[in-house]
Amino acid sequence: TKYQSVHYSESHAHLEEEKFRRKLKYFFMNPCDKYKARGRKPWKLILQIVKIAVVTIQLVSFGLSNQMVVQFKEENLMAFRHLFLKSFRDSSTDTYSIYTQHDVYTHIAFTVKQFLMLPSITVGNHQYEKEGDVYTPLTICQQFYRNGSISPANETFDIDAQVDEVFADLPSTSLLTFNNKPAELHSALREVLLTVTVNFTLKAINLETVEYHELPDCYVFDIMITFDNKAHSGRITIDLDNDVHIYECRDWSVTDASPRNMYMLVLFDVIVILILMLSLLLCARSVKAGVHLQFEYTEFFSIHHGKHVSFSDRMEFINGWYILIIVSDVLTISGSLLKIIIQLKAVASYDLCSILLGTGTMLVWIGVLRYMGYFKKYNILIITLRAALPNVIRFTCCAAMIYLGYCFCGWIVLGPYHTKFRTLNVVSESLFSLINGDDMFATFKNMQHKSDVVWLFSRLYLYTFVSLFIYMVLSLFITLITDTYDTIKHQQLDGEPVSDLQAFIMQCKDPPESGRFNANENSGAGCLMCCCSSRSANHT
């Protein structure tokens, strides 16, 4: 009959709705409940635990190797300063300066002499660079204005702003010294000389790695010593810096050692890459399934309920934790591949590899919070951060406008009188330190009292900044977090409001172990040890 046909149609629609509701509920279950519902093993959870262990071991291994590289660079830089800078002291790194013409000549002569005598004075394995049968020479470069006539007594000057450069090469086998100085250099020091740079190249081998069963690297140090006279203030600052290049040694032999350890490390990195690729595929598959289910839910609600699904409900299907894991996997895979290339001595991009592995490992550990969120007593941090983030971003944008205003003002007004306000970058760092109460007294005390107006302005500037940001901005920022935390606690006690999607899913009263989530109606009974003590938690 017509009535029976309508009743059957309504019953069928109701069954389809219940089936779809059960499908949604299963999708948002945690791994333990999925195991109870269908006996599905939590492979992604197990894989993430294994991944955390192997990625951390890999990072520690690379960190120890990178530590030797960094230490070798720093120790060589300090050795070069003591070898080639006359009367250098460790405490004078930032203030190493000279003030007389005689000092300029003697310091350049000292550098040249030390370079010529290097093989007989260094305690390291430093050698000159050799291109074919010719050693790379030491180069002295002078930069000066093309023409210049300065007379401070008459308050006159005539300068040609064109900068010329003069180079002089000194072979490492030369016996030439710098005792007799040309008269033009003597004159240039007072008038048009801008800089004198001494450039040379040295090579060395880091033998410390042999102790740890790693092949040594060959290092090339491009050293530049700069005598800076650009300000013509009567003070010439001296700085020694070097560019370090790491290469594979062309011919090597290590007795009583084998490359087995290196190959074992490469094999371990390959295993890590395979684990990461498996994790990447599983998480990408889950993201794809969530996108398909989102379209299915949107179409279902549009047809059966005539409602438009909100953006927040649609985003519930896009698991942000999976996106985080995918990003971390991509970074760590890239870092692992680069690490293998470094271990095979093909490249020496330690900094880039450190960034990739460090960021990837950090995101892997942050991803652990996803599984902590399945327990209500541990997910308070995640829920609070997620709820407070929009308000925090809006508040930070407003506070940043005030902060930038203080940065620009401090730079232009206090910069000439205070070392902590010389550049915009230093100003920002100093003000951020003040917000956290760091070095506050020194910031007040080190202000030069050469201008009464500027000194009084500095007091007004610092007092208002400290009062505004510590007592108001920082307090309001903390209040945003605490208010959100209190709201979350009350919601957990009184019951948090639910969205249309959550209300639709909550109508399904079937527990995970009911067996109704399995197509074959199998109960999927049984429980992992770690799952038995947990309750069903909301999807995070």
Side-chain angles (χ1 to χ4, degrees):
T1 65
K2 183 177 180 180
Y3 174 78
Q4 291 176 333
S5 177
V6 172
H7 178 73
Y8 175 79
S9 177
E10 291 178 353
S11 177
H12 180 72
H14 178 73
L15 290 176
E16 288 295 322
E17 182 172 328
E18 285 295 321
K19 182 178 178 181
F20 183 65
R21 186 180 287 114
R22 198 175 295 116
K23 181 179 179 180
L24 290 175
K25 184 174 182 179
Y26 178 80
F27 176 80
F28 287 103
M29 284 182 182
N30 62 52
C32 297
D33 286 339
K34 287 183 177 180
Y35 179 80
K36 297 175 183 178
R38 293 185 180 178
R40 175 182 172 181
K41 305 295 190 303
W43 295 116
K44 285 198 293 290
L45 173 59
I46 297 173
L47 186 63
Q48 294 305 314
I49 296 174
V50 173
K51 187 178 75 173
I52 290 172
V54 297
V55 166
T56 304
I57 293 172
Q58 181 193 45
L59 182 72
V60 172
S61 174
F62 178 76
L64 294 176
S65 178
N66 191 32
Q67 183 177 338
M68 289 188 289
V69 175
V70 173
Q71 182 178 355
F72 189 73
K73 290 180 180 180
E74 292 179 348
E75 290 182 356
N76 273 274
L77 179 59
M78 187 57 64
F80 294 148
R81 285 172 175 165
H82 282 276
L83 283 172
F84 301 111
L85 299 183
K86 185 179 180 181
S87 304
F88 179 82
R89 298 290 182 271
D90 291 343
S91 60
S92 60
T93 302
D94 299 326
T95 58
Y96 190 66
S97 305
I98 52 179
Y99 301 91
T100 66
Q101 297 178 22
H102 179 264
D103 286 340
V104 176
Y105 305 141
T106 55
H107 277 71
I108 296 177
F110 178 83
T111 299
V112 173
K113 180 181 177 182
Q114 293 292 97
F115 173 75
L116 297 175
M117 298 176 58
L118 181 67
S120 60
I121 61 175
T122 180
V123 295
N125 54 32
H126 304 106
Q127 294 288 337
Y128 304 118
E129 183 185 42
K130 192 175 183 180
E131 297 180 354
D133 296 330
V134 180
Y135 288 100
T136 303
L138 175 146
T139 302
I140 300 177
C141 175
Q142 300 177 49
Q143 288 186 341
F144 51 87
Y145 293 121
R146 178 169 295 177
N147 291 303
S149 177
I150 303 174
S151 178
N154 298 328
E155 300 179 351
T156 61
F157 66 91
D158 181 15
I159 291 290
D160 184 348
Q162 181 68 34
V163 176
D164 290 338
E165 294 183 342
V166 176
F167 296 89
D169 291 340
L170 179 64
S172 58
T173 56
S174 173
L175 297 178
L176 176 66
T177 61
F178 230 64
N179 292 329
N180 298 320
K181 301 300 174 293
E184 57 269 21
L185 179 59
H186 181 91
S187 169
L189 279 173
R190 293 185 295 103
E191 297 183 355
V192 295
L193 183 68
L194 296 174
T195 61
V196 176
T197 57
V198 181
N199 303 282
F200 53 92
T201 303
L202 299 177
K203 288 188 172 183
I205 300 176
N206 185 3
L207 297 178
E208 184 183 6
T209 57
V210 176
E211 181 181 351
Y212 298 94
H213 307 288
E214 295 184 19
L215 293 180
D217 290 316
C218 288
Y219 290 72
V220 177
F221 298 94
D222 294 325
I223 302 170
M224 181 174 65
I225 302 175
T226 304
F227 296 77
D228 189 353
N229 191 41
K230 292 180 181 178
H232 287 82
S233 61
R235 177 192 182 190
I236 296 181
T237 58
I238 303 176
D239 178 61
L240 185 149
D241 198 6
N242 63 349
D243 291 329
V244 185
H245 307 280
I246 307 175
Y247 300 98
E248 177 187 5
C249 295
R250 283 184 278 182
D251 188 13
W252 56 269
S253 176
V254 182
T255 307
D256 295 332
S258 68
R260 180 173 178 272
N261 289 336
M262 183 186 71
Y263 295 141
M264 291 298 294
L265 287 175
V266 172
L267 178 61
F268 178 76
D269 291 332
V270 172
I271 294 174
V272 172
I273 292 174
L274 294 177
I275 294 174
L276 292 169
M277 292 183 66
L278 181 59
S279 170
L280 179 63
L281 291 174
L282 291 176
C283 291
R285 188 188 66 172
S286 297
V287 172
K288 181 181 178 181
V291 172
H292 283 303
L293 191 58
Q294 177 200 122
F295 289 124
E296 188 176 350
Y297 172 74
T298 303
E299 183 180 2
F300 179 87
F301 245 60
S302 176
I303 296 175
H304 292 81
H305 298 273
K307 292 183 179 180
H308 175 72
V309 179
S310 65
F311 177 77
S312 60
D313 280 353
R314 293 200 306 270
M315 291 307 296
E316 286 287 333
F317 292 91
I318 308 300
N319 194 323
W321 292 110
Y322 288 149
I323 304 297
L324 180 71
I325 293 173
I326 290 173
V327 172
S328 70
D329 288 343
V330 171
L331 292 175
T332 311
I333 289 173
S334 302
S336 300
L337 291 173
L338 186 57
K339 180 175 180 287
I340 292 175
I341 299 175
I342 291 174
Q343 289 174 342
L344 296 177
K345 307 303 179 184
V347 298
S349 303
Y350 283 93
D351 292 338
L352 178 59
C353 186
S354 299
I355 293 173
L356 293 174
L357 289 180
T359 307
T361 305
M362 178 186 69
L363 295 179
V364 167
W365 278 96
I366 293 176
V368 178
L369 290 176
R370 172 176 181 259
Y371 301 101
M372 299 293 290
Y374 292 138
F375 305 95
K376 290 187 176 180
K377 293 183 179 180
Y378 295 94
N379 67 348
I380 188 68
L381 173 63
I382 305 169
I383 299 175
T384 303
L385 289 177
R386 184 174 61 183
L389 187 60
N391 290 331
V392 168
I393 292 176
R394 287 190 288 267
F395 180 83
T396 303
C397 290
C398 296
M401 300 299 103
I402 306 175
Y403 185 82
L404 288 174
Y406 270 90
C407 285
F408 287 116
C409 179
W411 173 52
I412 198 66
V413 178
L414 306 183
Y417 301 93
H418 203 302
T419 56
K420 290 189 175 183
F421 294 86
R422 290 290 162 81
T423 66
L424 277 174
N425 183 51
V426 174
V427 171
S428 179
E429 293 171 354
S430 300
L431 294 183
F432 191 79
S433 299
L434 285 177
I435 294 176
N436 293 277
D438 182 36
D439 214 16
M440 191 173 295
F441 177 73
T443 305
F444 281 90
K445 185 176 181 296
N446 294 339
M447 181 67 194
Q448 297 178 11
H449 200 162
K450 292 185 177 181
S451 171
D452 292 337
V453 175
V454 176
W455 187 86
L456 290 173
F457 178 85
S458 70
R459 266 45 197 166
L460 178 64
Y461 173 89
L462 292 174
Y463 279 121
T464 55
F465 177 83
V466 170
S467 301
L468 178 63
F469 275 85
I470 292 183
Y471 304 135
M472 295 182 63
V473 175
L474 190 59
S475 298
L476 289 173
F477 184 84
I478 296 174
T479 301
L480 282 177
I481 306 297
T482 54
D483 285 349
T484 305
Y485 176 76
D486 291 337
T487 302
I488 296 299
K489 287 186 65 177
H490 288 304
Q491 288 179 353
Q492 288 184 337
L493 294 175
D494 304 333
E496 55 184 300
V498 295
S499 62
D500 291 339
L501 172 62
Q502 293 169 344
F504 180 75
I505 295 175
M506 289 174 63
Q507 295 180 34
C508 178
K509 304 299 182 179
D510 299 326
E513 57 273 9
S514 65
R516 304 197 65 183
F517 293 91
N518 195 317
N520 298 324
E521 295 292 322
N522 292 330
S523 63
C527 180
L528 290 176
M529 184 78 65
C530 64
C531 301
C532 293
S533 60
S534 65
R535 298 181 179 179
S536 176
N538 291 332
H539 178 72
T540 56

